[in-house]
Amino acid sequence: MKKLIMLFCGLALMVFAASAKPNPGDPKKATKTGNIAIHFKNVVNGQELKLNDSLSLYKNANGDDFKITTFKYYISNVSLIAKNGDKVAIPDSYFLVNAADSATQNQQIANIPEGKYTGITFTIGVDSLRNFAGAQTGVLDPAKGMFWSWNSGYIFVKLEGESPKSTAKKNRLTFHIGGVKAPNNTIRTFTQKLPKTLKINDGKLPELELIANAGALFQGKTTVDFAKLNFTMGGPNSVVVADNYADGLFKITQVKN
Amino acid sequence: MKAKGIVFLVLLIFIMVSTAFNYGFKGINYSIAADSVRFAVPANFPKPVYDFKDNPVTSNGFKLGRILFYDPIISKDKSISCANCHQSFAAFANLDHAVSHGVDECLGTRNAPPLFNLAWQKEFMWDGGVHHIEVSPMNAMTNPCEMATDLNTIVSRLQETNAYAPLFKAAFGTTEINSQRTFRALAQFTSMLVSANSKYDKYIRKEKGGDFTAEEIAGYALFKQKCSTCHQEPLFTDLAYRSNGLDLKPEDIGRDSITHLETDRGKFRVPSLRNVELTSPYMHDGRFETLKEVLAHYNSGVKPTANLDPLLHQNNVYGIRLTTLEQSQLIAFLKTLTDRDFVNDKRFQAPE
């Protein structure tokens, strides 16, 4: 009998201990949250990106002239890195930026736990799970034109344009980067230490300026020559481009608290 | 009295307006009764691949999917519906058509596969490029040689056709029409296309009507010995990609177009043999008209192609040698895979 009581007490203590342990997912303990505004600024190697601008052509690292007619990209699975090194994941964070639609260049990330953050990390493109999850809606709606029907999966970065160097029909440039299966997996992760500590407070709207450099697709590990590479829709050539842009595509240049 | 008159007038105008909107979409009955449907796993089948958690089949969802499947509004010039290439009497393949035939008399490059037991498929199409049942119709919708349109056009046309809002509401709770709901309704219809009631199934489940003849028994024994590695029971496919030695230099690179691997050049998905009696012509390009021609290929036509399946090159013999008697026994067995209940199921046919 005594043993039984001891056992019962022990058990009760364990249950108590387990329930008293702070659980970050506990809704009762949920801290206040805040939002940030993100301003996406599209550039080409330092110049402002203007679509269909035939007057001032851009130059890639190989010295080839080109213009851009389409530039769209996904970022997803945003996490902020707290001062103590903790990674705070923002659930359901999917963003599609389209250079032809200025509304998509100013977005907000909501529901970030209050605190001070020194870094950011996100997926360039759409995580593998969502690529295999069937029909999606919102920014992941395949009607957004960033989904392959014949080899299903999201196009992570889409750049189309023209270059006199391109050997394709009408000198076209077609760079549709995507694919999540080895050996042609093009998921790349961007991580950066913020230029200044970001303070998230309920009721405040701090701002981040994020620069996207379309020129990064064509330089990095491999300098792209438009005479040789002017078309890719997944596969090994998309891996070449993804490896190029992994480091250079994005840069957070400003934090305004 | 006066109020009644106003209601009547408003109703009349509404009917007139909706009729005007629907002009040109003749032949689709948007007001069919919802069938009582439920997805069930046949006793001799494994667990399905499709996770119905986010999209359980309901009577109203299935009904909407059925109407969409038969509605040509989905194609560029409103002339081609899913059912054009997927005919119920051909087990939802395209009878007599070697390759898909779309808008503007455009001919595609591959044979329309039959649609059944899709809930058990992890990948779709001859090359396996599509890996989810929900997004597989997008392929035909956007292919320039099939429906040649795009999702935005389809969604706005559905929004403009008044009959659809109540159908979407009944299926999903609100009148919102978007691509996800369109795909999910179609998936509710296509996942319900279960073929598991052939003579073979009755034989396996020891049900009435499942008595095999001596010829069918002999054919089944041959099948198990010579064909079942690739055409695995009970789906009659292992869903793998293989080359069966059709051409020394394949015109269509097949699976290679998806994986970009030289070792996948000329490989195509092993098709199911269920309902094979009804799904001629055969192969990815529909080159063979009859089952006899198919067996003749395996007997003497297999070529030493680059990625030929090793099962078709054993002991220095290319293909599967079969005597004339064996070929007819095999064909007798293959015909036991015909599921008349499935192809005659009114729930799967065009809304009357």
Side-chain angles (χ1 to χ4, degrees):
Chain A
M1 189 63 200
K2 208 173 167 188
K3 261 189 185 165
L4 207 70
I5 293 171
M6 288 273 280
L7 193 75
F8 178 75
C9 288
L11 220 72
L13 210 71
M14 270 161 72
V15 170
F16 178 72
S19 65
K21 209 172 125 195
N23 177 357
D26 189 346
K28 274 174 268 172
K29 277 215 71 182
T31 44
K32 281 186 180 171
T33 61
N35 303 348
I36 24 173
I38 306 189
H39 306 296
F40 293 87
K41 216 170 128 188
N42 300 314
V43 305
V44 186
N45 301 329
Q47 279 173 268
E48 184 191 350
L49 187 151
K50 280 190 196 157
L51 293 179
N52 299 303
D53 188 2
S54 300
L55 295 174
S56 54
L57 295 177
Y58 303 110
K59 232 181 227 325
N60 72 5
N62 195 52
D64 308 341
D65 287 333
F66 68 108
K67 72 169 185 176
I68 297 176
T69 51
T70 303
F71 185 51
K72 292 165 83 171
Y73 48 86
Y74 274 113
I75 71 167
S76 66
N77 292 281
V78 182
S79 283
L80 288 174
I81 299 155
K83 253 191 159 156
N84 63 4
D86 280 355
K87 236 166 123 177
V88 179
I90 320 295
D92 252 325
S93 45
Y94 294 89
F95 301 91
L96 173 60
V97 178
N98 180 357
D101 178 0
S102 59
T104 65
Q105 290 157 38
N106 294 297
Q107 307 220 26
Q108 281 196 25
I109 306 184
N111 296 318
I112 308 160
E114 282 193 339
K116 289 179 180 165
Y117 296 94
T118 55
I120 188 167
T121 179
F122 57 75
T123 301
I124 306 173
V126 176
D127 56 290
S128 176
L129 205 68
R130 284 290 173 113
N131 271 273
F132 289 91
Q136 304 291 310
T137 189
V139 297
L140 295 176
D141 189 329
K144 300 276 181 195
M146 292 287 277
F147 191 84
W148 282 310
S149 60
W150 48 275
N151 187 2
S152 33
Y154 288 94
I155 299 166
F156 300 159
V157 176
K158 188 188 240 187
L159 185 149
E160 290 170 359
E162 281 161 38
S163 167
K165 269 289 284 290
S166 169
T167 51
K169 209 171 149 190
K170 292 187 178 167
N171 303 118
R172 274 189 193 125
L173 299 176
T174 310
F175 290 89
H176 295 185
I177 314 305
V180 297
K181 282 188 216 165
N184 299 318
N185 185 348
T186 55
I187 289 196
R188 298 292 179 272
T189 309
F190 168 82
T191 306
Q192 194 200 312
K193 193 174 180 292
L194 296 173
K196 193 169 109 186
T197 301
L198 168 73
K199 293 174 195 153
I200 300 292
N201 283 307
D202 186 17
K204 291 258 175 69
L205 190 64
E207 293 171 62
L208 292 185
E209 184 185 70
L210 194 148
I211 301 248
N213 176 19
L217 275 70
F218 312 122
Q219 66 186 102
K221 265 172 117 178
T222 312
T223 300
V224 172
D225 175 350
F226 289 148
K228 291 187 185 126
L229 178 56
N230 46 55
F231 180 99
T232 172
M233 288 190 180
N237 282 334
S238 287
V239 173
V240 167
V241 177
D243 284 342
N244 270 353
Y245 69 53
D247 289 330
L249 183 55
F250 295 113
K251 193 174 183 196
I252 308 243
T253 47
Q254 268 192 56
V255 174
K256 277 192 221 160
N257 286 306
Chain B
M1 192 60 211
K2 203 173 164 195
K4 257 191 192 167
I6 289 169
V7 168
F8 178 75
L9 208 73
V10 166
L11 219 70
L12 197 75
I13 289 167
F14 177 76
I15 289 166
M16 278 165 65
V17 167
S18 53
T19 324
F21 261 110
N22 287 325
Y23 180 74
F25 307 138
K26 286 184 289 253
I28 275 293
N29 179 5
Y30 299 108
S31 58
I32 56 162
D35 302 275
S36 176
V37 296
R38 187 176 66 92
F39 182 84
V41 179
N44 56 325
F45 272 40
K47 197 174 153 252
V49 171
Y50 184 34
D51 182 357
F52 289 89
K53 195 174 81 270
D54 293 328
N55 189 33
V57 178
T58 62
S59 295
N60 284 322
F62 172 86
K63 173 186 162 183
L64 172 59
R66 180 181 173 195
I67 290 168
L68 288 167
F69 189 85
Y70 285 95
D71 197 340
I73 194 175
I74 283 176
S75 65
K76 179 184 159 196
D77 60 3
K78 300 173 186 173
S79 67
I80 308 263
S81 74
C82 305
N84 277 57
C85 291
H86 299 285
Q87 303 161 319
S88 63
F89 50 84
F92 296 91
N94 199 357
L95 191 67
D96 292 333
H97 275 58
V99 293
S100 298
H101 180 187
V103 297
D104 302 329
E105 303 297 328
C106 191
L107 281 176
T109 56
R110 291 179 185 166
N111 184 250
L115 304 183
F116 53 76
N117 302 342
L118 302 180
W120 285 269
Q121 265 183 228
K122 61 181 197 307
E123 286 157 351
F124 299 82
M125 312 296 158
W126 281 105
D127 55 22
V130 175
H131 47 58
H132 201 286
I133 187 174
E134 288 174 9
V135 291
S136 46
M138 188 171 166
N139 215 334
M141 289 166 172
T142 57
N143 187 309
C145 266
E146 295 182 40
M147 291 167 157
T149 178
D150 61 86
L151 293 181
N152 287 315
T153 305
I154 291 170
V155 167
S156 55
R157 282 190 194 166
L158 295 176
Q159 286 166 344
E160 285 157 15
T161 307
N162 292 341
Y164 274 111
L167 291 168
F168 274 81
K169 183 164 197 269
F172 298 110
T174 65
T175 54
E176 191 192 345
I177 296 174
N178 60 31
S179 77
Q180 186 186 49
R181 286 177 165 195
T182 306
F183 282 136
R184 286 187 170 175
L186 278 165
Q188 290 195 35
F189 178 74
T190 54
S191 65
M192 278 296 293
L193 299 171
V194 177
S195 179
N197 223 9
S198 63
K199 188 177 186 182
Y200 158 84
D201 292 296
K202 289 170 187 166
Y203 174 83
I204 291 294
R205 297 194 298 251
K206 298 184 172 65
E207 288 168 9
K208 222 179 108 197
D211 293 331
F212 272 9
T213 63
E215 198 187 21
E216 288 163 353
I217 288 170
Y220 187 24
L222 271 171
F223 172 83
K224 282 197 275 198
Q225 199 192 327
K226 305 200 174 205
C227 320
S228 68
T229 317
C230 307
H231 296 284
Q232 258 171 41
E233 299 172 67
L235 299 171
F236 286 87
T237 167
D238 63 351
L239 299 170
Y241 305 88
R242 300 172 187 268
S243 161
N244 60 351
L246 288 172
D247 304 297
L248 278 175
K249 232 186 153 250
E251 219 173 274
D252 185 337
I253 63 170
R255 180 73 174 153
D256 180 5
S257 59
I258 302 304
T259 60
H260 304 279
L261 295 173
E262 188 101 21
T263 50
D264 279 336
R265 183 150 303 173
K267 288 187 184 174
F268 293 90
R269 209 185 58 216
V270 174
S272 172
L273 297 180
R274 283 179 173 274
N275 300 302
V276 74
E277 183 187 359
L278 310 173
T279 61
S280 73
Y282 306 107
M283 304 293 135
H284 65 275
D285 52 7
R287 66 176 68 191
F288 298 133
E289 290 290 331
T290 64
L291 288 174
K292 269 190 183 160
E293 283 174 60
V294 173
L295 292 188
H297 164 73
Y298 283 113
N299 183 50
S300 58
V302 171
K303 296 178 184 66
T305 54
N307 296 312
L308 180 68
D309 202 274
L311 290 165
L312 292 173
H313 185 208
Q314 291 182 322
N315 309 318
N316 269 332
V317 173
Y318 286 105
I320 306 165
R321 294 275 181 270
L322 293 160
T323 65
T324 320
L325 175 69
E326 287 173 329
Q327 291 185 31
S328 58
Q329 287 169 335
L330 254 183
I331 290 175
F333 169 69
L334 291 177
K335 288 184 176 175
T336 71
L337 298 173
T338 304
D339 184 351
R340 301 273 168 208
D341 292 352
F342 170 64
V343 294
N344 292 326
D345 194 328
K346 287 265 177 273
R347 298 173 306 165
F348 302 146
Q349 295 174 7
E352 296 275 325

